Amino acid sequence: MTPWLAEQFDSDRPWNEVVTDLLTVEESIVHDPRGVFYVANSEMTKPSPSLLAGATGRIFLGVQIGCAECHNHPFAPWKQEDFWGLAACFGRLRHTSKNSNQLTEAPADDAPPAREVTIIVPEGAGKAVGTVVPARFLDRTTTPDGTGSVRGQLAAWITARDNPFFAKAQANRFWARMF
Protein backbone atom coordinates (compact mmCIF):
# COMPACT_ATOMS: atom_id res chain seq x y z
CA MET A 1 0.00 0.00 0.00
CA THR A 2 2.72 2.49 0.91
CA PRO A 3 4.50 2.32 -2.49
CA TRP A 4 1.16 2.69 -4.29
CA LEU A 5 0.23 5.75 -2.20
CA ALA A 6 3.70 7.24 -2.71
CA GLU A 7 3.28 6.78 -6.45
CA GLN A 8 -0.08 8.57 -6.32
CA PHE A 9 1.40 11.50 -4.39
CA ASP A 10 4.50 11.62 -6.61
CA SER A 11 2.33 11.81 -9.72
CA ASP A 12 0.40 14.70 -8.11
CA ARG A 13 -2.85 12.79 -8.36
CA PRO A 14 -5.80 14.53 -6.65
CA TRP A 15 -6.64 13.05 -3.25
CA ASN A 16 -10.33 12.72 -4.12
CA GLU A 17 -9.40 10.38 -7.00
CA VAL A 18 -7.15 8.29 -4.74
CA VAL A 19 -9.92 7.95 -2.16
CA THR A 20 -12.40 7.00 -4.87
CA ASP A 21 -10.01 4.26 -6.02
CA LEU A 22 -9.69 2.97 -2.46
CA LEU A 23 -13.45 2.84 -1.91
CA THR A 24 -14.42 1.36 -5.27
CA VAL A 25 -11.71 -1.22 -5.92
CA GLU A 26 -12.99 -4.45 -7.45
CA GLU A 27 -9.69 -6.04 -8.37
CA SER A 28 -8.00 -8.74 -6.34
CA ILE A 29 -8.03 -7.15 -2.91
CA VAL A 30 -5.12 -9.28 -1.76
CA HIS A 31 -2.77 -8.42 -4.62
CA ASP A 32 -3.94 -4.89 -5.46
CA PRO A 33 -2.68 -2.32 -2.93
CA ARG A 34 -5.97 -0.43 -3.21
CA GLY A 35 -7.67 -3.43 -1.62
CA VAL A 36 -5.87 -3.10 1.68
CA PHE A 37 -8.73 -0.95 3.04
CA TYR A 38 -11.11 -3.88 2.52
CA VAL A 39 -8.66 -6.52 3.77
CA ALA A 40 -8.08 -4.50 6.96
CA ASN A 41 -11.83 -4.21 7.52
CA SER A 42 -12.79 -7.84 6.97
CA GLU A 43 -13.77 -10.68 9.25
CA MET A 44 -12.61 -14.12 8.17
CA THR A 45 -11.72 -12.69 4.71
CA LYS A 46 -15.27 -11.35 4.26
CA PRO A 47 -15.62 -7.55 4.11
CA SER A 48 -17.49 -6.39 7.21
CA PRO A 49 -20.03 -3.59 6.65
CA SER A 50 -19.74 -2.49 10.27
CA LEU A 51 -15.93 -2.33 10.22
CA LEU A 52 -16.00 -0.55 6.86
CA ALA A 53 -18.54 2.02 8.11
CA GLY A 54 -16.44 2.80 11.19
CA ALA A 55 -13.23 3.07 9.18
CA THR A 56 -14.86 5.19 6.46
CA GLY A 57 -16.17 7.63 9.04
CA ARG A 58 -12.85 7.84 10.85
CA ILE A 59 -10.44 7.91 7.90
CA PHE A 60 -12.31 9.78 5.19
CA LEU A 61 -14.85 11.87 7.10
CA GLY A 62 -13.02 12.59 10.34
CA VAL A 63 -15.88 11.43 12.55
CA GLN A 64 -15.93 8.73 15.19
CA ILE A 65 -19.17 7.03 14.30
CA GLY A 66 -18.19 3.55 15.53
CA CYS A 67 -19.72 4.21 18.94
CA ALA A 68 -23.14 4.38 17.26
CA GLU A 69 -22.86 0.77 16.10
CA CYS A 70 -24.51 -0.45 19.30
CA HIS A 71 -26.13 2.67 20.73
CA ASN A 72 -26.68 6.32 19.98
CA HIS A 73 -23.41 8.18 20.42
CA PRO A 74 -23.38 9.79 23.89
CA PHE A 75 -21.32 12.88 22.95
CA ALA A 76 -21.96 13.41 19.24
CA PRO A 77 -25.09 13.66 17.10
CA TRP A 78 -24.69 10.18 15.57
CA LYS A 79 -27.53 7.72 16.00
CA GLN A 80 -27.51 3.98 15.39
CA GLU A 81 -29.42 4.48 12.15
CA ASP A 82 -26.64 6.83 10.95
CA PHE A 83 -24.03 4.14 11.55
CA TRP A 84 -26.05 1.33 9.97
CA GLY A 85 -27.15 3.57 7.10
CA LEU A 86 -23.48 4.04 6.24
CA ALA A 87 -22.79 0.31 6.79
CA ALA A 88 -25.58 -0.52 4.33
CA CYS A 89 -23.45 1.08 1.60
CA PHE A 90 -21.06 -1.87 2.03
CA GLY A 91 -23.70 -4.55 2.64
CA ARG A 92 -23.81 -5.80 -0.95
CA LEU A 93 -20.10 -6.59 -1.16
CA ARG A 94 -19.35 -10.13 -2.25
CA HIS A 95 -16.37 -12.08 -3.49
CA THR A 96 -16.94 -12.98 -7.14
CA SER A 97 -16.41 -16.67 -6.39
CA LYS A 98 -15.72 -18.82 -3.35
CA ASN A 99 -11.94 -18.75 -3.78
CA SER A 100 -11.70 -15.30 -5.32
CA ASN A 101 -10.31 -12.22 -3.66
CA GLN A 102 -12.11 -9.94 -6.11
CA LEU A 103 -14.92 -7.80 -4.78
CA THR A 104 -18.15 -7.02 -6.50
CA GLU A 105 -21.43 -5.54 -5.40
CA ALA A 106 -24.30 -8.00 -5.51
CA PRO A 107 -27.28 -6.75 -7.50
CA ALA A 108 -30.37 -5.62 -5.67
CA ASP A 109 -32.64 -8.47 -4.61
CA ASP A 110 -36.19 -8.84 -5.84
CA ALA A 111 -37.75 -7.62 -2.60
CA PRO A 112 -39.74 -4.44 -3.10
CA PRO A 113 -38.57 -1.82 -3.63
CA ALA A 114 -35.94 -3.70 -5.63
CA ARG A 115 -33.55 -0.78 -5.89
CA GLU A 116 -33.58 0.22 -2.23
CA VAL A 117 -30.28 -0.46 -0.50
CA THR A 118 -30.74 -1.73 3.06
CA ILE A 119 -29.03 -3.68 5.80
CA ILE A 120 -30.46 -5.73 8.65
CA VAL A 121 -28.82 -4.81 11.94
CA PRO A 122 -27.07 -7.99 13.15
CA GLU A 123 -26.99 -9.63 16.56
CA GLY A 124 -24.91 -7.83 19.16
CA ALA A 125 -25.80 -4.34 17.97
CA GLY A 126 -27.95 -3.26 20.90
CA LYS A 127 -31.62 -2.35 20.70
CA ALA A 128 -31.69 -2.06 16.91
CA VAL A 129 -31.02 -5.77 16.24
CA GLY A 130 -33.20 -7.01 13.39
CA THR A 131 -34.11 -3.52 12.19
CA VAL A 132 -33.95 -2.93 8.45
CA VAL A 133 -32.02 0.29 7.87
CA PRO A 134 -31.90 1.99 4.47
CA ALA A 135 -28.53 3.16 3.19
CA ARG A 136 -27.79 6.83 3.63
CA PHE A 137 -24.76 9.03 3.86
CA LEU A 138 -23.79 10.95 6.97
CA ASP A 139 -25.41 14.18 5.84
CA ARG A 140 -28.66 12.31 6.67
CA THR A 141 -30.33 13.44 3.46
CA THR A 142 -28.41 11.75 0.63
CA THR A 143 -29.14 8.13 -0.19
CA PRO A 144 -27.79 5.89 -2.94
CA ASP A 145 -30.37 5.40 -5.65
CA GLY A 146 -29.83 1.64 -5.89
CA THR A 147 -28.62 1.77 -9.48
CA GLY A 148 -24.99 1.30 -10.33
CA SER A 149 -22.33 1.00 -7.69
CA VAL A 150 -23.42 2.01 -4.21
CA ARG A 151 -19.75 2.40 -3.23
CA GLY A 152 -19.23 4.60 -6.28
CA GLN A 153 -22.09 6.83 -5.18
CA LEU A 154 -20.69 6.89 -1.64
CA ALA A 155 -17.23 7.81 -2.94
CA ALA A 156 -18.73 10.59 -5.07
CA TRP A 157 -20.58 11.96 -2.03
CA ILE A 158 -17.53 11.69 0.25
CA THR A 159 -15.24 13.50 -2.18
CA ALA A 160 -17.77 16.10 -3.36
CA ARG A 161 -16.68 19.72 -3.03
CA ASP A 162 -19.68 20.58 -0.86
CA ASN A 163 -19.18 17.68 1.57
CA PRO A 164 -18.63 19.30 4.97
CA PHE A 165 -16.59 16.38 6.31
CA PHE A 166 -14.03 15.30 3.70
CA ALA A 167 -11.94 18.43 3.18
CA LYS A 168 -11.87 19.24 6.89
CA ALA A 169 -10.87 15.69 7.80
CA GLN A 170 -8.09 15.55 5.25
CA ALA A 171 -6.76 19.00 6.15
CA ASN A 172 -6.68 18.01 9.82
CA ARG A 173 -4.95 14.71 8.99
CA PHE A 174 -2.25 16.43 6.92
CA TRP A 175 -1.70 19.17 9.51
CA ALA A 176 -1.41 16.58 12.28
CA ARG A 177 1.15 14.69 10.22
CA MET A 178 3.19 17.84 9.58
CA PHE A 179 3.26 18.81 13.24
Side-chain angles (χ1 to χ4, degrees), residues 32-175:
D32 187 327
R34 298 173 301 168
V36 91
F37 177 70
Y38 288 96
V39 171
N41 293 291
S42 295
E43 293 176 333
M44 303 296 290
T45 71
K46 182 181 177 193
S48 167
S50 60
L51 292 175
L52 287 162
T56 298
R58 199 174 47 255
I59 295 168
F60 303 120
L61 301 171
V63 296
Q64 182 59 279
I65 192 168
C67 190
E69 180 177 357
C70 299
H71 55 271
N72 294 339
H73 198 297
F75 308 115
W78 309 118
K79 307 285 185 209
Q80 266 191 291
E81 53 191 40
D82 296 322
F83 177 88
W84 287 105
L86 183 59
C89 296
F90 299 102
R92 291 185 179 175
L93 285 178
R94 304 288 183 268
H95 290 292
T96 54
S97 69
K98 188 174 184 176
N99 297 322
S100 173
N101 289 316
Q102 289 188 300
L103 288 179
T104 189
E105 286 184 37
D109 59 18
D110 294 331
R115 291 188 178 171
E116 187 174 32
V117 179
T118 61
I119 194 168
I120 299 172
V121 179
E123 290 292 323
K127 294 178 183 178
V129 169
T131 304
V132 177
V133 180
R136 69 177 185 188
F137 307 148
L138 290 186
D139 64 357
R140 296 183 174 153
T141 59
T142 310
T143 59
D145 64 14
T147 62
S149 169
V150 176
R151 291 180 301 142
Q153 293 175 53
L154 175 64
W157 175 80
I158 285 174
T159 61
R161 288 188 183 272
D162 61 345
N163 184 318
F165 304 106
F166 183 68
K168 180 179 175 182
Q170 301 321 306
N172 286 339
R173 185 173 304 281
F174 290 130
W175 275 107

